[in-house]
């Protein structure tokens, strides 16, 4: 069962601006400049600039992976060794008739070993890598990306920067001050979705929408140490403010931008 709900996404349709009617999409042949019906379309692969090899529906169908409705487990690895950057779509797994006992056994074994199962799963003509892990109430199958689909972070030009002990201490204090024991997704709401829903309702009711002036944002140079101290003071609990490090531990202000 899909673990996410795509229906929760707000989508808009394209309309004719002058009359508000729904637009219909058409495909045009760039050579003959005529509309092409769906029955006259074929799929092709561009192997060179403007050069294609064409495939029939039967040829494409023959290359598809046959769905097995079964995940073939190939290995078990420590859960923390799977980088979340590989996570794609998630599914909830439920036992079929007569499968409650092995389902519970696998979930318990994974939970106790702190490992997850890796394997392959075929669906919709494609083959996927999947990770099966034990959640609090059952099993979750996480569809994973292939290695070639994930960029290496080494491709980015991240300069090596020295972190001063005093800066690190302030940053750690800020982290501890705002730390929670666990992630609670209910604490976060989609504010953009809320604004869109409110605007849609006003439009439906015939009300005018007042647009807020866009705020200018830009890269400004900040005093890193002062920014950390200000954050600590702002987040300090009512019982007392966090004190800054002794003068001997303070480093000269560092400029970052």
């Amino acid at each position: 069962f899909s673990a996410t709900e795509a229906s929760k996404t707000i989508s808009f349709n394209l309309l004719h601006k002058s009359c508000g009617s729904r637009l219909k999409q058409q495909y045009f042949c760039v050579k003959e400049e005529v509309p092409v019906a769906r029955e006259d379309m074929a799929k092709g692969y561009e192997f060179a600039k403007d050069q294609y090899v064409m495939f029939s529906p039967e040829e494409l169908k023959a290359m598809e992976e046959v769905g097995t409705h079964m995940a073939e487990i190939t290995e078990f690895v420590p859960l923390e060794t799977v980088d979340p950057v590989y996570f794609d779509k998630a599914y909830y797994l439920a036992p079929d008739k007569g499968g409650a006992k092995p389902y519970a056994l696998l979930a318990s074994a994974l939970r106790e070993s702190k490992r997850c199962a890796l394997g392959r799963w075929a669906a919709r003509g494609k083959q996927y890598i999947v990770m099966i892990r034990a959640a609090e109430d059952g099993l979750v199958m996480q569809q994973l990306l292939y290695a070639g689909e994930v960029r290496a972070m080494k491709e980015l030009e991240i300069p090596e920067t020295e972190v001063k002990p005093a800066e690190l201490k302030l940053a750690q204090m800020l982290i501890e001050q705002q730390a929670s024991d666990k992630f609670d997704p209910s604490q976060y709401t989609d504010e953009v979705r809320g604004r869109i829903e409110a605007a849609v309702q006003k439009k439906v009711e015939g009300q005018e929408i007042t647009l807020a002036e866009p705020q200018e944002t830009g890269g400004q140079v900040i005093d890193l140490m002062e920014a950390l101290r200000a954050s600590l003071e702002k987040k300090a609990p009512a019982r007392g403010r966090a004190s800054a490090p002794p003068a001997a531990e303070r480093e000269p202000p560092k400029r970052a931008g």
Side-chain angles (χ1 to χ4, degrees), residues 54-215:
M54 196 177 299
F55 287 86
S56 68
E58 293 74 22
E59 290 173 326
L60 293 174
K61 189 69 176 177
M63 291 186 288
E64 290 183 354
E65 187 75 13
V66 178
T68 59
H69 304 288
M70 177 178 64
E72 179 186 355
I73 294 175
T74 56
E75 60 180 331
F76 297 90
V77 300
L79 189 58
E80 68 273 8
T81 62
V82 183
D83 193 325
V85 75
Y86 287 91
F87 287 4
D88 199 358
K89 193 172 183 181
Y91 296 87
Y92 293 140
L93 301 181
D96 206 345
K97 185 177 181 181
K101 183 62 180 291
Y103 178 93
L105 179 60
L106 178 59
S108 298
L110 291 176
R111 197 175 291 112
E112 290 295 322
S113 65
K114 293 181 173 56
R115 290 179 180 268
C116 62
L118 296 180
R120 294 182 175 86
W121 176 56
R124 299 181 295 278
K126 297 181 180 180
Q127 188 181 73
Y128 302 94
I129 313 172
V130 292
M131 175 184 80
I132 299 174
R133 59 183 174 86
E136 184 177 353
D137 299 317
L139 293 173
V140 175
M141 184 173 75
Q142 191 84 45
Q143 190 172 298
L144 303 179
L145 299 171
Y146 284 96
E149 296 177 300
V150 177
R151 295 177 59 191
M153 202 170 188
K154 293 181 180 179
E155 296 178 16
L156 308 179
E157 295 182 2
I158 302 176
E160 292 187 9
T161 307
E162 181 185 3
V163 176
K164 303 293 184 181
E167 296 171 342
L168 180 59
K169 184 175 182 179
L170 275 176
Q172 289 174 332
M173 289 172 64
L174 180 61
I175 290 174
E176 287 302 318
Q177 198 173 76
Q178 297 179 254
S180 300
D181 293 333
K182 64 178 182 178
F183 168 55
D184 182 3
S186 66
Q187 297 297 315
Y188 298 86
T189 57
D190 189 344
E191 296 177 358
V192 174
R193 177 186 174 89
R195 288 198 297 269
I196 294 175
E197 289 178 336
V200 168
Q201 187 59 35
K202 286 184 178 180
K203 287 273 190 179
V204 171
E205 296 172 356
Q207 301 180 35
E208 290 293 329
I209 297 177
T210 303
L211 299 178
E213 290 292 330
Q215 297 181 355

